[in-house]
Amino acid sequence: MPARSSCDALVVGNYCHDELSRASGGVVHTLGGSAAYISSVFDATGVDHAVVSVAGEDFAYADRVRYPPLIIPGTRTTRFIAEFTSVERVLRVGARSAAIRPEDIIFDARVALACGVMAEVLPETLIRMSQHSGQVLADAQCLLRTVDAHGLVRNRPLEDTPFAPLLRHLSVLKASEDEAESLDVAAVRAKTCLVVTRGRSGCSVLTARETLQVPAWPVEEVDPTGAGDCFLAGFTLGLLRAWPLGRCAELANWFGAQAVTQVGVPTLDLSKLPASLR
């Protein structure tokens, strides 16, 4: 095991094999996973970060990631099959990787992101992250997701998960509107900052004392995959700059908007970033 080191942001979550079936026809096979999307934002903005992830022996994108995953012999890489229709995205799981263990967290960080895509961040791993970082941000999918008998991704109520007692370890919990339906919003916001993403309607920042509504940046959507990940990365960037929550959310909305304009992990053009967010 390498010696412990430190960084500004520690990304804890997996790379994936994504299979994107377009409503207009055709299938795209590409690198996916929160670790890939969040790293794209951090790489573009120069954030000093590290990634803790695991993958199977079949991992196909080692040449596309700056921080390679730990390969677990005898296992497969998480594979998501996203089917897009004119009104919704249906998400299935074709394979699941091993879990990220507490002993895999060997970095200290100013901010750590729990961004598992399919239950790979264990409760004890989340606790370990909180012990070695100043703040922990979590994506609700990391806490809520499960798979039914048909391989479809579902969200469990937070109170039915082992993460329910761990909200005190989080500085921020990000959830989509669908995920927020599995939360007791009043109870969550009383314990931590809850940020609910609302697509074209922007996002809501909910704390015990205030509610902020932050509008979206209008763009033409091509593929919604990874928008929440890039949003979370943008919010983290704002926190690292010690910005107030509302401004963090503005920056997060901008990065989330850039993600939906491209298929797969986006290439970001920071020259388009509004001057107010630089």
Side-chain angles (χ1 to χ4, degrees):
M1 180 179 294
R4 180 185 299 278
S5 58
S6 63
C7 55
D8 284 338
L10 177 62
V11 181
V12 182
N14 282 351
Y15 304 110
C16 301
H17 294 165
D18 277 0
E19 182 178 313
L20 311 176
S21 298
R22 314 302 305 163
S24 57
V27 177
V28 176
H29 295 268
T30 187
L31 170 66
S34 297
Y37 283 90
I38 291 172
S39 289
S40 72
V41 174
F42 288 166
D43 282 336
T45 55
V47 172
D48 171 35
H49 71 287
V51 175
V52 176
S53 66
V54 300
E57 294 176 312
D58 61 339
F59 184 57
Y61 299 104
D63 60 333
R64 291 187 55 188
V65 298
R66 179 178 173 189
Y67 298 98
L70 174 65
I71 302 299
I72 308 298
T75 68
R76 298 176 64 191
T77 301
T78 298
R79 182 168 68 95
F80 278 111
I81 305 161
E83 300 172 357
F84 296 90
T85 70
S86 59
V87 294
E88 65 176 346
R89 178 181 72 162
V90 178
L91 195 60
R92 299 178 186 273
V93 175
R96 291 177 65 175
S97 72
I100 299 173
R101 305 163 300 170
E103 55 266 36
D104 295 328
I105 308 302
I106 58 172
F107 297 93
D108 293 318
R110 291 173 59 194
V111 178
L113 294 83
C115 53
V117 292
M118 199 61 250
E120 69 268 21
V121 178
L122 303 172
E124 53 267 38
T125 304
L126 183 64
I127 293 172
R128 171 87 168 188
M129 292 168 61
S130 72
Q131 294 168 342
H132 294 285
S133 63
Q135 299 183 77
V136 177
L137 285 72
D139 195 320
Q141 69 181 20
C142 182
L143 316 183
L144 305 177
R145 276 183 174 176
T146 187
V147 179
D148 70 13
H150 303 288
L152 289 170
V153 176
R154 306 294 189 191
N155 293 322
R156 300 173 290 173
L158 179 62
E159 58 266 27
D160 293 343
T161 77
F163 295 99
L166 303 183
L167 289 180
R168 63 184 178 85
H169 293 280
L170 303 180
S171 298
V172 177
L173 176 64
K174 181 200 75 72
S176 67
E177 285 187 292
D178 287 344
E179 291 161 347
E181 293 178 0
S182 297
L183 306 174
D184 181 337
V185 170
V188 172
R189 69 185 295 182
K191 297 175 182 178
T192 189
C193 174
L194 174 63
V195 182
V196 180
T197 57
R198 305 187 185 280
R200 296 181 185 277
S201 297
C203 70
S204 303
V205 181
L206 311 172
T207 70
R209 298 181 179 180
E210 64 179 343
T211 298
L212 304 174
Q213 304 294 345
V214 183
W217 298 90
V219 293
E220 182 177 348
E221 181 177 306
V222 174
D223 176 15
T225 306
D229 303 321
C230 291
F231 177 99
L232 190 62
F235 203 96
T236 302
L237 179 58
L239 290 179
L240 289 170
R241 294 174 174 176
W243 287 1
L245 292 176
R247 196 175 180 201
C248 289
E250 287 184 63
L251 186 61
N253 278 344
W254 189 85
F255 279 108
Q258 305 317 298
V260 308
T261 65
Q262 303 173 49
V263 176
V265 178
T267 299
L268 298 167
D269 182 359
L270 296 186
S271 69
K272 298 179 180 179
L273 184 67
S276 61
L277 297 178
R278 295 181 181 176

